[in-house]
Amino acid sequence: MQTPWIIGNWKMNGRIDRNIALINAFKTFRLPEKVHIGIASSYPYIHQLYTELQETSIWVGAEDCSQFYDDGAYTGEVSANMLADCGAKFVIIGHSERRTYFSENNDLLKIKLQNALSAGLLPIFCVGETLQERESGQEEKVIASQLAILRDFADASMIVAYEPVWAIGTGKVAEPEQIQAMHQFMNEEILSITGKRDKIPLLYGGSVNADNASIILKTSCVDGALVGGASLKADVFMRIITAATE
Ligand code: 13P
C-alpha cells in the first residue's frame, strides 16, 4: 500500500497568533512516519508555517497560484515561484471554490498546473460534481471533462482530489460506495487519458472528520484525504492522521 496523504486545507482562515496556537498543539503529538501530512494555508501565512513547521514532517502548501509565471506587473498576484521561495512544497489547483467564485476553467487550470510543476511544486488537482450534476446522473461525465486536462501532464507527479461539491462544508459526506465507484472510475479515466502506468494518488475531500475518516480511508482506491474545516482543530486533525495509519 502507498503511504497515505492527509492534507489540511485551511481555506481563508488564520491569524498569526491563532496559527501559532494550532501549530504548537500539533507539535505536542507524535506524528506517524508513514503518513504524508500537509497544510495548505492562505498566502500571508505560508512562510510563517514553513518556519514553524521546519522541524516536523508536515509540508506546507498553498491553496492556489497565479496564472502568470514570470515576475512582472501583475498587481495582487502570487506566482508559483514565490510560493516555492516561501517554503511551499505543494499547491491546490482547481478547488471547487475557485471554480465557483472565480470561474476557473480547464484552460486556466492547465496554465496553473504547468506553473506549479515548473516551480517544483506538487499540484493537488481538485475535481468534483455539483449536487445537481449528480442527481441528473452526470457525475462521471463532469469528472471526465475536468480530468481531460491531464492529457498534457502524462508524466507529471501530482495528486488528484475528488471533492464532490455537495459534500464540501455541508457535513454531508459521500457514501463509501460512491467514493469507491468514483475513484475507480477516475483511476481508469486517468489511465486512458494519460496512458500513464504510475498510479496518481487519489484523495477524497468533503466533510471528512474524526468520526468518518477511518471508514473513508479504508475505502478501496482512496489514498488519503483533503480536509477542510476539521484541519483547523489540532486534536481532530490528529485523529484523522491517526486513522490513516490503521
Ligand atoms: P470540508 O472538509 O470543510 O468539507 O472541506 C473540504 C475541502 O474543500 C477541502 O479542500
Side-chain angles (χ1 to χ4, degrees):
M1 189 194 148
Q2 289 188 357
T3 304
W5 295 81
I6 302 294
I7 306 290
N9 175 8
W10 281 5
K11 308 194 179 184
M12 199 175 80
N13 292 288
R15 292 292 185 275
I16 287 176
D17 54 348
R18 273 191 243 153
N19 300 347
I20 294 276
L22 203 46
I23 289 164
N24 284 343
F26 284 143
K27 284 182 180 166
T28 63
F29 297 113
R30 226 175 93 89
L31 296 172
E33 277 168 29
K34 292 208 156 63
V35 182
H36 296 300
I37 306 166
I39 295 173
S41 88
S42 300
Y43 296 141
Y45 304 122
I46 287 172
H47 195 255
Q48 180 199 16
L49 262 58
Y50 169 72
T51 308
E52 294 294 333
L53 292 170
Q54 239 172 354
E55 320 261 280
T56 74
S57 56
I58 302 177
W59 282 14
V60 178
E63 301 168 13
D64 184 34
C65 69
S66 176
Q67 65 187 295
F68 300 107
Y69 187 71
D70 293 321
D71 291 5
Y74 307 111
T75 303
E77 286 295 277
V78 177
S79 73
N81 275 317
M82 290 172 169
L83 297 173
D85 189 40
C86 289
K89 285 212 165 56
F90 68 93
V91 57
I92 297 172
I93 303 280
H95 192 281
S96 67
E97 286 149 15
R98 303 238 22 118
R99 293 177 190 262
T100 303
Y101 300 126
F102 303 96
S103 308
E104 296 199 349
N105 58 26
N106 277 9
D107 290 341
L108 178 76
L109 295 174
K110 203 186 285 187
I111 297 168
K112 290 191 173 193
L113 275 178
Q114 188 54 61
N115 290 353
L117 291 163
S118 301
L121 299 172
L122 175 70
I124 301 183
F125 179 61
C126 298
V127 297
E129 82 284 357
T130 62
L131 186 58
Q132 194 197 7
E133 287 161 345
R134 177 161 280 270
E135 284 179 347
S136 58
Q138 301 292 301
E139 67 272 18
E140 290 190 352
K141 195 166 151 235
V142 170
I143 300 302
S145 75
Q146 293 174 345
L147 288 175
I149 68 171
L150 299 188
R151 187 168 290 119
D152 293 346
F153 301 99
D155 297 318
S157 290
M158 69 170 75
I159 292 176
V160 172
Y162 170 55
E163 298 205 305
V165 178
W166 47 271
I168 295 177
T170 58
K172 191 171 184 271
V173 69
E175 296 296 329
E177 299 75 32
Q178 292 174 312
I179 300 172
Q180 200 230 303
M182 184 55 86
H183 279 220
Q184 195 168 327
F185 171 76
M186 287 166 63
N187 272 334
E188 287 159 13
E189 195 62 21
I190 291 169
L191 188 60
S192 99
I193 291 168
T194 63
K196 191 177 162 77
R197 303 285 147 178
D198 288 352
K199 201 177 161 318
I200 290 184
L202 294 186
L203 314 189
Y204 168 79
S207 296
V208 175
N209 60 38
D211 297 327
N212 61 26
S214 182
I215 185 148
I216 291 170
L217 292 166
K218 283 194 187 108
T219 302
S220 129
C221 306
V222 172
D223 304 304
L226 186 52
V227 184
S231 68
L232 292 163
K233 295 178 199 113
D235 58 327
V236 177
F237 193 48
M238 197 56 218
R239 282 171 64 197
I240 295 171
I241 292 166
T242 305
T245 64
E246 288 164 6

